[in-house]
Amino acid sequence: MAIAAAPILACLAISGSAFAASPTPNLLPAESRGVSQAPPPQPINWDRVTQEATDLLSRYIQINTTNPPGNELDAARMLKEKFLTDGIPATTWEPQKGRGIVAARLRGIGKHTKSIILLSHMDVVPANPKEWQFPPFSGLVKNGQIWGRGAIDDKGPGVIELMAMLAIKRAGILLNRDVLFIATGDEEEGGKNGAGWFVDHEASVFSDAGYLLNEGGGISPLADNKRKVYVVSVTEKTPLWLRLTASGPAGHASDPPAETAVTRLVRALDKLSEYKTPIHVIGPVQDYYHTMAELDHGPKQQLDLSTALKDPEYQNKFLADPSQNAAVRDTITPTVLSASPKTNVISETAYAEIDCRLLPGSDPKTVTSDIKKVIGDDTIKVDVLLNFPPISSPSRSPLMTSIDTLAREHDQASVVPSMIIEFTDSHYFRQKKIVSYGFIPIEVLPAEGKGIHGINERIGVKELADGIQRMVELLKNFGARIR
Ligand SMILES: [Zn+2]
């Protein structure tokens, strides 16, 4: 997950055929439902919820879902059992052998209200045990923290979503809308065998959904360490992954021609590295810096970033920070290089893969043609490996109003809509016109934030428990809203 400028690594799309999915009548939206003669809600036993959430996250981390290969099915089954034990219908799918998806539906009493999806992913990025203070798949609970790969990205948030639903069900709180839990696999590799597959094959499960919460935002402390800010991502940069293939005569390196596939490719990459894409401050980025400058007494230039960046001196200073640079322009990053496997052999082809990240509003066709112009060599083939259309969700909605209420009432905090420079599975659901926000109501402390895709990933038991409490409050508030 990402909070403001925290990094998420790139994702690679892998396609594949699907194994049969199980039918899901128990998860489908209900035609009609009666208001039951329910007793008044019971108080929630937060100590019990905290203990249970801690145990669940610890066990969840112990199921190694490193992607590739993912192998999320065991994790999906464990989460399904947890829902079923409390009488919440849940189903798993196996989109490819060993891969897993799980969904559950907590029914509300509203007939015409749009349901909300709580999305998370079960797969994690690799972890090298040699670099970690404690083994990354131990799920160790020590000194008030739960350690392990996925603690924050994204098993912790999944546990928060699940436990909030269980707490609401057990307390007998009746919401005006259904809450759907969906945990997918394969997010870290692009989501084709996870959220992408689910949206393509099982859209009927969430046909009544109008809103979604996912990773991509959360609660951050301000510089004074007293006040907090709720950062909600309403849009993301989109990937445009390209492969450049150069060709030339093959041969022995003792007898080299003047030009080879490798020399052509190197020249092309050199030109690309010199190329500076235009600067463009989109609305959510301008608003984010403005609000943060106001709240955090940041540099006054950030009150109007778009104008401030016209000053070359300030522009240089601002762009020197890689995350800030990525927030205001398309980026072009060569990541993969391949040519001859042998030192003395000149290969016929050489290729490079380029990870471009585009701002919402940038046209992938224009960017690709600009790149071809910069390279200026028609013999180099440019193929698109991955791209999807940039889609944003509105900054105003009944869900944002509920987040704003939570921020004010729970933390005396402000809400800041933003753009994240990484991408998540949210785009699959935004394409289905579902208002999707990157926001999980946990406070990720700066030291913990470094563990996301890094070493010593962990989450505080207190942060986890606070996250569940806030999620319950948020769902109660949003569940009471009609529309
Ligand atoms: Zn993630």
Side-chain angles (χ1 to χ4, degrees):
M1 76 176 290
I3 303 240
I8 284 187
L9 293 188
C11 301
L12 175 73
I14 298 169
S15 60
S17 64
F19 281 66
S22 37
T24 55
N26 62 345
L27 287 192
L28 296 178
E31 291 292 315
S32 65
R33 59 192 71 154
V35 179
S36 52
Q37 300 292 317
Q42 299 298 305
I44 294 170
N45 181 342
W46 286 113
D47 286 344
R48 185 184 156 198
V49 169
T50 302
Q51 187 57 51
E52 204 176 325
T54 305
D55 293 345
L56 180 66
L57 179 56
S58 174
R59 278 191 290 134
Y60 193 4
I61 289 169
Q62 287 168 35
I63 302 175
N64 187 338
T65 51
T66 301
N67 187 12
N71 278 340
E72 305 93 352
L73 191 59
D74 285 346
R77 286 180 178 144
M78 183 186 75
L79 299 180
K80 177 179 116 172
E81 287 309 315
K82 191 80 190 153
F83 280 114
L84 292 181
T85 308
D86 269 67
I88 297 176
T91 304
T92 55
W93 292 260
E94 191 177 3
Q96 279 206 320
K97 192 153 177 50
R99 308 306 301 261
I101 297 174
V102 55
R105 181 183 285 268
L106 176 65
R107 295 199 186 275
I109 53 172
K111 275 187 198 171
H112 304 292
T113 43
K114 295 269 188 199
S115 67
I116 178 169
I117 297 171
L118 305 181
L119 183 69
S120 64
H121 64 87
M122 296 177 283
D123 61 313
V124 296
V125 293
N128 179 0
K130 287 193 190 123
E131 298 170 340
W132 284 56
Q133 200 174 331
F134 303 110
F137 298 99
S138 63
L140 182 73
V141 183
K142 197 176 165 73
N143 299 335
Q145 295 199 296
I146 307 158
W147 289 73
R149 175 60 84 221
I152 299 178
D153 181 16
D154 191 28
K155 291 177 172 177
V159 166
I160 287 171
E161 294 169 350
L162 180 152
M163 288 305 301
M165 289 168 69
L166 259 51
I168 287 170
K169 170 92 183 343
R170 289 173 189 171
I173 298 164
L174 293 176
L175 301 179
N176 217 339
R177 57 177 95 232
D178 288 9
V179 181
L180 270 158
F181 174 94
I182 302 175
T184 61
D186 201 35
E187 192 274 344
E188 299 291 1
E189 296 271 300
K192 278 268 159 67
N193 290 314
W197 181 91
F198 197 68
V199 165
D200 284 347
H201 293 84
E202 295 290 343
S204 59
V205 170
F206 58 90
S207 60
D208 60 327
Y211 303 91
L212 176 145
L213 289 175
N214 184 24
E215 62 177 346
I219 303 169
S220 302
L222 287 170
D224 63 11
N225 251 328
K226 288 187 197 121
R227 291 168 308 145
K228 300 178 190 358
V229 65
Y230 280 38
V231 182
V232 180
S233 80
V234 297
T235 191
E236 305 176 346
K237 286 181 92 174
T238 52
L240 168 66
W241 292 359
L242 302 174
R243 178 179 284 153
L244 312 186
T245 309
S247 41
H252 196 282
S254 62
D255 183 19
E259 186 87 288
T260 69
V262 169
T263 58
R264 275 203 179 109
L265 184 67
V266 167
R267 196 169 309 118
L269 292 177
D270 188 41
K271 285 182 184 164
L272 270 185
S273 72
E274 296 294 318
Y275 173 51
K276 300 273 175 278
T277 54
I279 288 173
H280 181 51
V281 183
I282 66 163
V285 173
Q286 174 89 349
D287 293 349
Y288 172 79
Y289 280 98
H290 175 89
T291 312
M292 291 305 283
E294 260 186 352
L295 286 174
D296 226 359
H297 309 295
K300 66 174 184 338
Q301 290 96 331
Q302 294 187 2
L303 288 168
D304 183 358
L305 187 61
S306 170
T307 305
L309 286 178
K310 294 193 172 99
D311 167 24
E313 200 183 320
Y314 182 72
Q315 189 191 94
N316 280 341
K317 209 170 130 194
F318 184 86
L319 299 180
D321 178 317
S323 309
Q324 294 184 168
N325 178 60
V328 295
R329 62 171 10 149
D330 299 334
T331 54
I332 299 173
T333 315
T335 48
V336 175
L337 280 175
S338 180
S340 169
K342 281 183 72 68
T343 311
N344 61 356
V345 174
I346 298 169
S347 69
E348 209 173 348
T349 57
Y351 73 82
E353 288 176 9
I354 316 282
D355 183 345
C356 308
R357 299 299 176 105
L358 311 190
L359 291 167
S362 289
D363 176 15
K365 286 206 178 85
T366 309
V367 174
T368 310
S369 104
D370 287 349
I371 284 176
K372 284 181 182 164
K373 270 186 227 150
V374 169
I375 292 172
D377 181 347
D378 290 343
T379 67
I380 292 184
K381 211 158 92 18
V382 179
D383 294 305
V384 176
L385 301 176
L386 174 75
N387 179 233
F388 45 76
I391 308 176
S392 305
S393 289
S395 292
R396 284 164 192 248
S397 73
L399 179 56
M400 192 67 90
T401 305
S402 289
I403 296 173
D404 191 60
T405 304
L406 177 75
R408 281 186 286 107
E409 291 181 356
H410 206 95
D411 290 297
Q412 295 83 50
S414 304
V415 171
V416 188
S418 73
M419 174 195 80
I420 52 167
I421 56 177
E422 308 86 358
F423 66 93
T424 69
D425 278 342
S426 291
H427 70 92
Y428 289 114
F429 295 88
R430 286 195 179 119
Q431 282 170 36
K432 294 280 178 188
K433 302 200 172 16
I434 293 173
V435 174
S436 305
Y437 292 145
F439 178 71
I440 303 295
I442 40 168
E443 186 173 351
V444 175
L445 306 172
E448 293 171 355
K450 291 200 179 91
I452 300 171
H453 290 210
I455 58 167
N456 298 328
E457 186 174 349
R458 61 199 185 271
I459 188 170
V461 171
K462 184 180 181 307
E463 277 69 48
L464 187 74
D466 287 350
I468 301 166
Q469 284 205 26
R470 289 195 196 94
M471 185 62 94
V472 168
E473 287 308 311
L474 179 58
L475 291 175
K476 274 164 69 177
N477 182 297
F478 185 56
R481 279 173 206 274
I482 308 293
R483 270 172 68 192

